[in-house]
Amino acid sequence: MSDPQQPAQPEPGAESDAVQGSATDTAPPPAGPSKPGPAAGEPPSRWSIAFREIVTGNAIISVLAVVLALIVGAVMIAFTDERVQEAAVYFFARPGDTFVAIWESVSGAYVAFFQGSIYNFRRPDFISGIRPLTETLTFATPLIAAGLGVGLAFRVGMFNIGGRGQMLIAASAAGWVAFGFDLPWGIHMVVAVLAGMIGAALWAGIAGLLKARTGAHEVIVTIMLNYVALYLVQWMLRTPGLLQAPGSNNPKTPAMKDTAILPDLLGPQFNLHFGFILSIGAVVLVWWILDRSSLGFKFRAVGENPNAARVAGINVKAMYVYAMLISGALVGLAGVSQVLGTVTTGFSSGIDAGIGFDAITVALLGRSTPWGILAAGILFGAFKAGGFSMQAAEGVPIDIVLVVQSLIVLFIAAPPLVRAIFRLPAPGSAPKRQRPIVTKEMEAK
Amino acid sequence: MTTVTTSPSAPVSAALDKTVVVSWKAPIAFAVFTVLAAVLFLAAGSHGEATFKLSQANDVIQLPDVTLSSEVTSWVCVVLMAAITVVSALLVRAKRKVGIWLVVLFAAIFLIGFLTWAAAGSRTPVIPLPGLLAGALSLSVPLIFGSLCGVISERVGVVNIAIEGQLLAGAFTSAVVASAVGNAIMGPALGMIAASISGVLVAFVLAAFSIKYYVDQVIVGVVLNVLVLGLTSFLFSQVLAPNAAVLNSPPRLERLPIPLLSEIPLIGPMFFRQTIIVYLMYIAVAVVYIGLFHTRWGLRLRSVGEHPQAADTVGINVTGTRFWNVSLAGAIAGLGGAFFTLGSVGAFNKEMTAGAGFIALAAVIFGQWDPIKATLAALLFGFASNLQNTLGVIGSPVPSEFMLMLPYLITILAVAGFVGKVRGPAAAGKPYIKS
């Protein structure tokens, strides 16, 4: 396998964004071989410069990627809808029917999506109307935490695909403490959360240690550890005395004790729990680690160029281990918030709910910056909440959310493709001058 | 663990220019397994007998059943394993290499001891060996296709995490096309072709994003897996499930026993009483091996994966070579996906590949990026998971989860360097930007 390398290809200028800690603020000035000089001899107006800065920036790419993915999703909904298919049979006789059917199926699905994720305006009062938004935040809680873990590893030049295994280990450790011990309120919760985070950190630390000691590629090790953790947890779940609920034959744990459950934030009628606050705290913590601490400086130096970091006296191998430990702990927080906040009645081996993989897309969409991940996590939380409501109301399978999410990441990873589709100018190119679509974005190592 | 010494027995003049590198890994590994076996078979020993069925009821040549006593077999196996450990230690001390045959012999003895021990402790102490082996091969088929795909694309310099997605796409398309055609012969044939095409389409996306847009190959692979999973699950729920009779009931492939060869005891039913996809797999393994190491195509492919700049300098089109070979690899993986529907289960189901692509990836690494070794690794992994099935059926006390874990643990040990030396193609995962 290869050397650790920068996973996402940042746009020229993305680094300045990253240091400021925000991916979505003002577009960076065009970098690279910029030719600010006018092509025709007269200086361009201020408006045209501003316009060019907006259309060549990162934010516009992210927005257009989301739009593009939603369009593809709409096409899929329309083509598989039965009403559309029925109307399409007599398309040439009455084409209007087909368009009406398409409009009804797509708009119905996306309206249900909105009502399930942000605000349900069919409800009489504000309290029940705003409930979908709290659902979105509940879904976003583990996505933010796990996304931070994956994103932090990205910044050190590592790829943590082991979110699933780390979440399972965290859930088992936290769950074991939460249902197996009797401790006073508060202390029990803290001990359970810490147990889960430490368990996941150690699980991820295996990959970091093996990379540091033997050069084993962390992608392979974390993928393999996912399955090892899955089978380990499955075995523990069906073995009495370990995780299985006493007196039950199902591979499921007993319910968590009340003293360990994360408290509700907005009262019992909403699902939003204290884990959301923990995730926000993690965002601030990761921002501080990456942008304000010397450890974060070393992390970023290793991520940019491990050889240069070594020459500068940074212990690169130790950084790999520390990064995986912290990354695992953050992913572990996602697992903990699942078992202590969202599903408190006992869990089975499906508790990770694909969050470990969703976290990769969250981290990529957030460009591995803490605040970007916060925004991306909330967006994907909305996708999940809206996807369920879309499935319930319109019968559109929730799997479409996977398609839309993965398309967003693909489009964001390839800005030249999005620019080509929307005919945006490439950054650094003078207006009305033909340049190759592929700008030199990354040097081969 | 590795000691570099000059051979003391050689003359002084020869000792100056001849160094022998010996590794103590093999004896240490042997010793560990011997101790493990001793603890397992003797301390936690099971009493009774285990019967190995060597023939099926309809075989022409009937072999008698073999019945082994658990205690005797355990002792014999442990003693033999200890002897092999001593032999290997002596070999290493004498600065000689531990041959692969010794490892194979050791593994075989361990396996016999383990099977006897596991079967004797279970409810029905009978192990149907032909079924075990044939099942192992059929579980290995998609793994082998997937690992061939991985070998080709990594050898040409593109890390392919998307094998899982390619298998899934192949399974989906072959089920739909074969059902839609319906004919018992044309259906599966067209289904297999469609499966290959769908694998190529997934590979096109991987190749386009990683080669043209220089997106990190691991990212594209991971995202493609999610994309294919989402697409197939969406279409399954929305289109296939309501119209299962028309779109999701493919005719299964017939078994085609090869005359004479299929009557060989034990080996015959395993290798030569299979479907056309399995025979295609044999051909694919041979073609990929010969192609990679004995043709101009293979030399170019490997040079692009090892040192693209050098390859470019001598006039090889790096981008084109990468693009078309990744696509070819996709076609192979797609065909492997067809085995899930046409070869074994029949109908398509959500997430039916269940991580086979990742085991195939493990086989690529454990097989050191060599088609033959990767095939053997895939067979080993298939055997491990079918052994777990068989032990579950006969009611063995061994927790099945640990058998299922085995391929992944072996892979971790392999990449960490405990099992042989693992080194992939030098330029795999790195985009080539012509300057």
Side-chain angles (χ1 to χ4, degrees), chain A residues 268-292:
Chain A
Q269 73 266 41
F270 295 110
N271 285 327
L272 192 63
H273 53 80
F274 189 70
F276 185 68
I277 303 293
L278 290 179
S279 286
I280 301 293
V283 171
V284 178
L285 180 71
V286 170
W287 169 79
W288 183 83
I289 289 178
L290 281 177
D291 288 359
R292 290 289 179 273

Side-chain angles (χ1 to χ4, degrees), chain B residues 76-96:
Chain B
V76 171
C77 286
V78 171
V79 168
L80 281 176
M81 286 162 74
I84 292 179
T85 310
V86 172
V87 168
S88 71
L90 289 176
L91 279 175
V92 172
R93 268 192 67 187
K95 314 297 176 208
R96 287 169 59 191

Side-chain angles (χ1 to χ4, degrees), chain B residues 61-286:
Chain B
I61 306 169
Q62 285 287 339
L63 293 181
D65 295 351
V66 177
T67 305
L68 297 174
S69 157
S70 177
E71 286 95 344
V72 176
T73 316
S74 300
W75 275 107
V76 171
C77 286
V78 171
V79 168
L80 281 176
M81 286 162 74
I84 292 179
T85 310
V86 172
V87 168
S88 71
L90 289 176
L91 279 175
V92 172
R93 268 192 67 187
K95 314 297 176 208
R96 287 169 59 191
K97 279 197 165 179
V98 179
I100 187 80
W101 53 273
L102 209 58
V103 180
V104 172
L105 189 66
F106 186 90
I109 294 172
F110 180 80
L111 203 61
I112 291 172
F114 178 79
L115 280 177
T116 313
W117 172 79
S122 54
R123 286 193 303 273
T124 45
V126 180
I127 291 192
L129 220 47
L132 176 65
L133 293 178
L137 183 73
S138 85
L139 281 178
S140 309
V141 171
L143 304 182
I144 292 173
F145 277 113
S147 60
L148 287 179
C149 160
V151 166
I152 293 179
S153 48
E154 298 220 358
R155 282 273 182 179
V156 83
V158 176
V159 173
N160 192 347
I161 306 270
I163 300 174
E164 174 87 3
Q166 291 168 335
L167 288 175
L168 198 57
F172 178 83
T173 340
S174 63
V176 172
V177 170
S179 313
V181 174
N183 188 313
I185 294 169
M186 285 307 291
L190 290 177
M192 287 193 292
I193 293 171
S196 281
I197 292 172
S198 67
V200 170
L201 290 180
V202 178
F204 274 169
V205 180
L206 173 69
F209 275 83
S210 61
I211 298 169
K212 183 171 169 61
Y213 294 120
Y214 311 130
V215 182
D216 187 280
Q217 296 162 1
V218 175
I219 291 179
V220 188
V222 170
V223 173
L224 272 180
N225 284 339
V226 180
L227 179 64
V228 175
L229 175 64
L231 269 179
T232 53
S233 301
F234 175 81
L235 292 174
F236 174 78
S237 315
Q238 192 79 336
V239 182
L240 258 58
N243 310 313
V246 187
L247 290 176
N248 198 12
S249 48
R252 279 179 61 179
L253 286 168
E254 297 286 327
R255 283 182 188 275
L256 303 168
I258 296 181
L260 291 179
L261 286 176
S262 64
E263 299 304 337
I264 303 172
L266 215 54
I267 298 175
M270 177 181 176
F271 286 114
F272 303 112
R273 225 175 270 174
Q274 297 286 1
T275 55
I276 183 83
I277 295 191
V278 181
Y279 300 134
L280 282 176
M281 179 193 80
Y282 301 151
I283 297 170
V285 172

Side-chain angles (χ1 to χ4, degrees), chain A residues 1-3 5-9 76-77 80-82 154 159 161 210 214-217 219-221 223-225 227-228 231-232 234-235 238 357 360-361 364 395-397 399-400 402-403 406-407 409-411 413-414 416-417 437-445, chain B residues 154 159 161 164 205 209 212-216 218-220 222-224 226-227 229-231 233-235 237-239 242 350 354-355 358 361-362 365 369 398-402 404-405 407-409 411-412 415-418 424-426 428-433 435:
Chain A
M1 299 292 291
S2 61
D3 293 331
Q5 52 183 328
Q6 193 68 5
Q9 273 75 66
M76 284 175 58
I77 293 170
T80 56
D81 190 273
E82 281 181 7
F154 274 160
F159 214 125
I161 310 192
L210 285 179
T214 67
H217 201 283
V219 169
I220 305 298
V221 176
I223 289 177
M224 299 304 148
L225 281 176
Y227 288 97
V228 175
Y231 291 124
L232 189 68
Q234 277 181 358
W235 174 71
R238 71 174 182 85
F357 283 104
I360 300 169
T361 48
L364 291 172
V396 178
D399 307 296
I400 196 165
L402 285 180
V403 178
S406 48
L407 284 177
V409 175
L410 272 184
F411 288 135
L417 180 66
I437 297 167
V438 181
T439 53
K440 195 170 174 182
E441 303 217 306
M442 186 182 158
E443 296 290 335
K445 283 180 191 165
Chain B
E154 298 220 358
V159 173
I161 306 270
E164 174 87 3
V205 180
F209 275 83
K212 183 171 169 61
Y213 294 120
Y214 311 130
V215 182
D216 187 280
V218 175
I219 291 179
V220 188
V222 170
V223 173
L224 272 180
V226 180
L227 179 64
L229 175 64
L231 269 179
S233 301
F234 175 81
L235 292 174
S237 315
Q238 192 79 336
V239 182
K350 275 188 189 183
F358 291 114
L361 193 65
I365 294 160
W369 290 270
V398 186
S400 60
E401 285 85 358
F402 289 97
L404 289 171
M405 235 184 251
Y408 307 105
L409 284 176
T411 309
I412 293 174
V415 290
F418 292 109
K430 295 172 189 172
Y432 178 67
I433 299 170
S435 52

Side-chain angles (χ1 to χ4, degrees), chain A residues 119-132 269-270:
Chain A
Y119 189 83
N120 190 348
F121 42 80
R122 286 187 191 160
R123 292 293 162 85
D125 54 342
F126 179 77
I127 295 295
S128 53
I130 202 69
R131 187 183 147 86
Q269 73 266 41
F270 295 110

